[in-house]
């Protein structure tokens, strides 16, 4: 009965290039397309749905787009947030090669089969261009390395309190991950320089990763309480009931302590239990920090390419320091695609002014606007380069070190400006991205028409909905239903009291009011409900007899008395009762009517070769 309705059918086909270079075979108002390009863009859909339907779908999409232009729809007003979000995602996909991402995800998932316990020692270099500071950091790193890794008694250069932590790819910087891969547990890496810091690592041990783990837990700060809970479990009480009774986890009432441990650091105490338990088994009480736990393993499986571990790894990878690989890829794309010119005389003027002001400790004062770096239609001024130089550098002692800084910084700055130009103007440098943005904007306009002119209009047309309901009454029928009262209870004595009250003829309100005061303690002892239900309801026993007035069953985990008060024959639903199904069904008709009107006044040139 349900008819779902959305713009997805049209979005499926909107990737078509609208300005064909060869002969026009199809024209809708002012838009034309060639047969060759149509076949290329719609190849998969033509195979699945047929060429004729693909053509009709394109025509309908174009007519709705023309309707949006009639209404002067502005996507930046109606869909600005969505447009910015999706266009940003599209930009990201264009800046990074999907094949590169996939290969890195697969390689990372291989590395994730092992976790490594590492102590990481780092020694920051305050300025990479000050040789004395760099030598001081290197001396500190070497002294600590000798002390930690060679057992030599040397003066401690810094506080050496470094906690050993479990790590897995891609949560480590690339250089540390590479260093860890070269050594075994008990060994140290060499002292290396990376990103303005010296570092080395001490490898403390490895273990297999658990993959995807789902578990339930009971948590308390009281040792005696956790021991009592464990005895209850051993005696056969369900984990759910024990969790409700003993756990101090605030989330326990929602999901009985069920959590998912996927792709994050698992503490040693939990790891020990998870690695020894089988699904369905629960642990002995164990302590973690100041708290006590019992865990029940629900599921454990390795991450693979077929489940959400792939997507989780991909998301983590894109947030990690591994993005340097993607940035290098993007920079290469920019250097290949962006025409630029570096103006050396203007650049040298900035360098000389910068050198003079640094030597004299003068404040920044360069204001000239000559271009230092030019792109098609834009340029980077001398003032911008000067500001960038002074923002990176604070103090300098001599010109020899200053020259080293300039020699290192200017090429880096040039590459960053080219990269910025490429990312900011990708539409100009990447025709495919420009076409995708254009078609996405067209799709938003079509979606606006479908939402306001069809879906919302149908939902607000009460007279039209009522008329459509009458025409299609057989599709919107209530089945045979029964008016029932359900009285759930805990304890045989309370059940007997409820039965007596029902047989005496007391009504629903009287019984509910009389026994409501039984609800004392943590768990409810009495719950009453009434309403309409149809035969075969999944919460009722299959042998439940709706022709019998009073019966005793188990309902939602509790014993219950059920009273069948009335049998209701099939009836046509009201507009409110039919709800979303009626609106969706009627929306299809509104949509077809709008398309019919648009087709009647459209100019469509469709050659005979498109017809069956």
């Amino acid at each position: 009965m349900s008819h779902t309705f959305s713009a997805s059918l049209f979005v499926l086909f909107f990737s078509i290039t609208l300005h064909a270079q060869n002969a026009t075979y199809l024209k809708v108002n002012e838009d034309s397309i060639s047969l060759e390009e149509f076949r290329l863009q719609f190849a998969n859909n033509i195979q699945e749905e047929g060429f004729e339907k693909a053509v009709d779908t394109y025509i309908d999409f174009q007519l709705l787009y023309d309707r949006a232009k009639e209404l002067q729809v502005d996507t930046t007003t109606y869909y600005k947030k969505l447009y910015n979000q999706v266009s940003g995602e599209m930009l990201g996909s264009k800046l990074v090669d999907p094949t590169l991402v996939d290969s890195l995800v697969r390689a990372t998932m291989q590395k994730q089969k092992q976790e490594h316990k590492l102590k990481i020692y780092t020694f920051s270099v305050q300025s990479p261009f000050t040789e004395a500071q760099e030598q001081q950091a290197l001396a500190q790193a070497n002294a600590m390395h000798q002390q930690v890794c060679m057992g030599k008694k040397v003066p401690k250069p810094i506080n050496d309190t470094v906690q050993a932590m479990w790590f897995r790819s891609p949560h480590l910087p690339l250089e540390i991950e590479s260093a860890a891969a070269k050594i075994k547990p008990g060994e140290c890496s060499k002292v290396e320089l990376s990103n303005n810091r010296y570092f080395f690592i001490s490898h403390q041990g490895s273990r297999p990763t658990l993959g995807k783990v789902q578990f339930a837990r009971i948590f308390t700060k009281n040792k005696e309480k956790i021991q009592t809970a464990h005895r209850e479990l051993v005696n056969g009480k369900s984990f759910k009931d024990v969790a409700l009774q003993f756990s101090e986890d605030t989330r326990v009432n929602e999901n009985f302590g069920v959590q998912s441990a996927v792709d994050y650091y698992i503490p040693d105490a939990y790891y020990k239990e998870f690695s020894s338990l089988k699904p369905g088994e629960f642990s002995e009480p164990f302590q973690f920090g100041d708290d006590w736990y019992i865990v029940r393993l629900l599921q454990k499986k390795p991450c693979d390419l077929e489940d959400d571990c792939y997507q989780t790894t991909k998301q983590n990878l894109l947030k990690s320091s591994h993005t340097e690989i993607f940035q290098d890829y993007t920079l290469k794309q920019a250097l290949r695609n962006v025409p630029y010119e570096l103006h050396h005389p203007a650049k040298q003027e900035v360098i000389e002014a910068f050198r003079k002001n640094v030597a004299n400790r003068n404040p920044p004062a360069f204001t000239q606007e000559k271009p230092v770096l030019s792109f098609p239609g834009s340029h980077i001024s001398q003032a911008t380069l000067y500001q960038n130089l002074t923002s990176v550098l604070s103090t300098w002692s001599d010109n020899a070190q200053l020259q080293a800084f300039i020699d290192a910084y200017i090429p880096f700055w040039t590459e960053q400006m080219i990269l910025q130009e490429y990312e900011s103007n990708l539409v100009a440098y990447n025709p495919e991205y420009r076409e995708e943005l254009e078609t996405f904007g067209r799709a938003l306009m079509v979606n606006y028409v479908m939402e306001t002119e069809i879906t919302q209009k149908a939902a607000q047309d009460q007279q039209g909905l009522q008329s459509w309901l009458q025409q299609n009454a057989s599709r919107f029928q209530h089945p045979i239903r029964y008016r029932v009262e359900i009285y759930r209870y805990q304890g045989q004595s309370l059940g007997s009291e409820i039965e007596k009250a029902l047989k005496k003829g007391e009504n629903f309100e009287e019984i509910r009011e009389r026994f409501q005061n039984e609800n004392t303690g943590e768990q409810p002892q009495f719950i009453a409900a009434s309403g309409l239900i149809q035969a075969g309801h999944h919460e009722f026993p299959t042998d439940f007899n709706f022709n019998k007035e009073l019966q005793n069953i188990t309902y939602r985990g509790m014993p219950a008395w059920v009273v069948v008060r009335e049998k209701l024959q099939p009836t046509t639903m009201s507009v409110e009762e039919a709800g979303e199904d009626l609106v969706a069904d009627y929306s299809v008709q509104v949509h077809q009517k709008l398309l019919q009107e648009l087709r009647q006044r459209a100019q469509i040139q469709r050659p005979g070769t498109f017809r069956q």
Side-chain angles (χ1 to χ4, degrees):
M1 180 178 68
S2 176
H3 295 273
T4 57
F5 183 79
S6 70
S8 60
L9 182 63
F10 297 102
V11 176
L12 185 65
F13 296 106
F14 78 28
S15 61
I16 192 164
T17 302
L18 302 176
H19 303 287
Q21 296 179 354
N22 35 23
T24 296
Y25 280 82
L26 173 66
K27 189 168 185 179
V28 182
N29 295 330
E30 299 301 319
D31 190 48
S32 60
I33 184 172
S34 72
L35 179 60
E36 179 183 345
E37 190 161 2
F38 186 89
R39 289 187 186 278
L40 177 66
Q41 296 289 342
F42 291 90
N44 293 334
N45 304 111
I46 291 170
Q47 291 175 5
E48 293 176 7
E49 302 181 8
F51 193 75
E52 288 291 318
K53 187 170 183 181
V55 173
D56 283 333
T57 303
Y58 169 76
I59 292 172
D60 290 343
F61 177 85
Q62 182 61 34
L63 291 174
L64 290 172
Y65 172 64
D66 290 343
R67 174 63 172 164
K69 290 191 293 185
E70 274 183 31
L71 299 172
Q72 297 183 333
V73 173
D74 179 6
T75 54
T76 59
T77 300
Y78 296 108
Y79 290 95
K80 187 172 183 179
K81 183 177 180 181
L82 177 62
Y83 186 88
N84 290 341
Q85 175 186 343
V86 177
S87 61
E89 293 172 356
M90 291 165 60
L91 171 63
S93 68
K94 290 301 171 189
L95 293 176
V96 180
D97 183 0
T99 304
L100 173 62
V101 175
D102 181 71
S103 63
L104 286 173
V105 172
R106 290 171 183 268
T108 301
M109 290 183 71
Q110 284 297 113
K111 296 177 183 177
Q112 286 181 346
K113 293 180 179 179
Q114 286 285 318
E115 290 178 312
H116 304 283
K117 198 171 190 178
L118 308 175
K119 282 187 177 181
I120 304 173
Y121 298 82
T122 61
F123 305 84
S124 296
V125 180
Q126 294 181 6
S127 171
F129 311 105
T130 303
E131 185 176 353
Q133 292 176 337
E134 185 173 333
Q135 291 302 317
Q136 181 183 4
L138 177 59
Q140 289 181 333
N142 285 329
M144 181 64 76
H145 189 270
Q146 288 184 338
Q147 178 181 305
V148 171
C149 305
M150 301 179 186
K152 295 185 179 181
K153 293 183 178 180
V154 294
K156 294 183 179 181
I158 59 171
N159 184 357
D160 65 343
T161 304
V162 179
Q163 183 180 1
M165 296 285 290
W166 286 101
F167 293 98
R168 60 188 290 191
S169 181
H171 302 296
L172 282 171
L174 269 173
E175 66 274 11
I176 293 179
E177 184 179 282
S178 298
K182 297 174 184 176
I183 58 177
K184 299 176 182 179
E187 297 179 347
C188 285
S189 70
K190 297 184 298 184
V191 175
E192 298 182 50
L193 176 64
S194 176
N195 291 332
N196 301 338
R197 64 181 178 181
Y198 284 100
F199 77 93
F200 71 90
I201 59 175
S202 173
H203 200 312
Q204 305 291 301
S206 298
R207 68 186 187 189
T209 52
L210 292 175
K212 180 184 292 185
V213 178
Q214 188 180 59
F215 64 98
R217 75 175 185 177
I218 298 170
F219 148 75
T220 176
K221 296 181 179 295
N222 188 298
K223 182 178 180 180
E224 293 182 359
K225 191 174 180 181
I226 203 73
Q227 290 173 337
T228 303
H230 187 260
R231 284 195 296 271
E232 294 283 343
L233 291 171
V234 171
N235 291 333
K237 196 169 184 178
S238 73
F239 197 92
K240 168 182 170 181
D241 291 340
V242 176
L244 284 170
Q245 184 176 354
F246 291 99
S247 185
E248 296 170 14
D249 191 336
T250 56
R251 293 165 292 185
V252 76
N253 290 326
E254 298 176 7
N255 54 17
F256 311 114
V258 174
Q259 300 179 16
S260 288
V262 181
D263 196 50
Y264 67 82
Y265 163 68
I266 298 176
D268 286 346
Y270 275 83
Y271 184 94
K272 180 181 177 182
E273 302 300 334
F274 292 151
S275 59
S276 61
L277 293 174
K278 296 179 181 178
E281 294 180 343
F282 56 84
S283 70
E284 297 285 329
F286 65 92
Q287 190 174 19
F288 179 55
D290 296 329
D291 305 320
W292 289 89
Y293 296 87
I294 298 173
V295 294
R296 179 171 180 258
L297 183 63
L298 303 177
Q299 184 185 51
K300 180 170 63 177
K301 66 187 293 285
C303 287
D304 56 46
L305 295 172
E306 304 304 321
D307 60 24
D308 58 359
C309 285
Y310 179 90
Q311 292 300 327
T312 303
T313 302
K314 181 179 178 179
Q315 292 169 7
N316 288 333
L317 190 70
L318 294 172
K319 295 176 184 176
S320 73
S321 62
H322 292 55
T323 51
E324 295 170 5
I325 296 175
F326 307 139
Q327 292 168 354
D328 289 344
Y329 170 85
T330 307
L331 178 60
K332 290 177 182 177
Q333 293 287 97
L335 293 173
R336 183 164 59 247
N337 294 331
V338 177
Y340 68 92
E341 181 180 359
L342 184 62
H343 303 280
H344 295 284
K347 177 196 71 175
Q348 196 60 38
E349 288 179 15
V350 175
I351 292 173
E352 293 303 322
F354 172 68
R355 191 193 305 275
K356 178 181 178 181
N357 282 340
V358 169
N360 298 330
R361 297 296 187 268
N362 292 331
F366 200 93
T367 58
Q368 294 186 49
E369 287 297 328
K370 292 181 183 177
V372 175
L373 188 62
S374 297
F375 307 108
S378 66
H379 69 269
I380 308 297
S381 69
Q382 289 178 305
T384 298
L385 173 56
Y386 187 87
Q387 291 168 3
N388 291 156
L389 284 165
T390 55
S391 65
V392 172
L393 203 59
S394 55
T395 59
W396 285 99
S397 56
D398 60 61
N399 286 339
Q401 294 174 5
L402 183 62
Q403 188 60 49
F405 163 72
I406 292 171
D407 291 343
Y409 183 74
I410 294 296
F412 167 79
W413 175 84
T414 303
E415 288 184 346
Q416 293 305 303
M417 293 301 101
I418 294 170
L419 184 61
Q420 180 178 304
E421 164 71 10
Y422 180 64
E423 293 180 349
S424 300
N425 300 282
L426 189 60
V427 167
Y429 297 115
N430 191 320
E432 182 184 355
Y433 177 62
R434 180 174 64 249
E435 290 173 2
E436 288 186 5
L437 281 180
E438 290 174 354
T439 51
F440 176 62
R442 292 163 67 89
L444 286 182
M445 294 173 70
V446 170
N447 283 337
Y448 172 83
V449 173
M450 296 179 74
E451 181 180 324
T452 57
E453 297 285 291
I454 299 168
T455 306
Q456 289 183 14
K457 186 175 181 180
Q460 296 167 3
D461 183 6
Q462 293 301 310
Q463 184 176 353
L465 286 168
Q466 187 64 52
S467 175
W468 184 250
L469 178 63
Q470 292 173 359
Q471 295 174 42
N472 299 273
S474 61
R475 302 217 304 263
F476 298 96
Q477 288 276 325
H478 285 301
I480 295 176
R481 294 173 296 165
Y482 300 87
R483 192 177 304 280
V484 299
E485 297 166 5
I486 304 173
Y487 304 92
R488 289 186 284 165
Y489 60 87
Q490 294 283 8
Q492 186 175 352
S493 60
L494 180 56
S496 298
E497 290 297 318
I498 295 171
E499 182 183 15
K500 291 177 184 178
L502 289 169
K503 289 183 176 179
K504 282 176 57 179
E506 292 186 28
N507 63 35
F508 179 78
E509 293 299 333
E510 290 172 334
I511 294 175
R512 182 170 63 174
E513 187 172 343
R514 172 136 69 100
F515 293 103
Q516 197 67 33
N517 58 9
E518 298 288 342
N519 288 333
T520 59
E522 295 184 5
Q523 294 185 347
Q525 304 298 303
F526 173 78
I527 302 173
S530 64
L532 296 175
I533 198 166
Q534 64 187 65
H537 190 276
H538 69 279
E539 293 183 302
F540 275 37
T542 55
D543 59 352
F544 186 85
N545 185 357
F546 280 95
N547 295 317
K548 187 177 179 181
E549 183 176 354
L550 180 62
Q551 294 167 80
N552 191 256
I553 65 170
T554 298
Y555 182 76
R556 295 186 180 177
M558 293 174 66
W561 285 106
V562 179
V563 182
V564 181
R565 294 294 188 191
E566 182 183 5
K567 179 180 180 180
L568 282 72
Q569 296 299 324
T571 57
T572 301
M573 299 178 183
S574 66
V575 170
E576 291 72 24
E577 288 172 331
E580 294 181 1
D581 284 338
L582 177 63
V583 172
D585 195 63
Y586 181 52
S587 295
V588 174
Q589 309 309 311
V590 176
H591 168 234
Q592 291 176 349
K593 181 179 178 182
L594 175 60
L595 282 177
Q596 185 178 10
E597 294 173 356
L598 293 175
R599 278 180 174 270
Q600 286 176 349
R601 56 190 179 94
Q603 296 179 359
I604 302 172
Q605 297 177 19
R606 179 177 175 145
T609 54
F610 277 15
R611 301 193 184 105
Q612 292 180 346

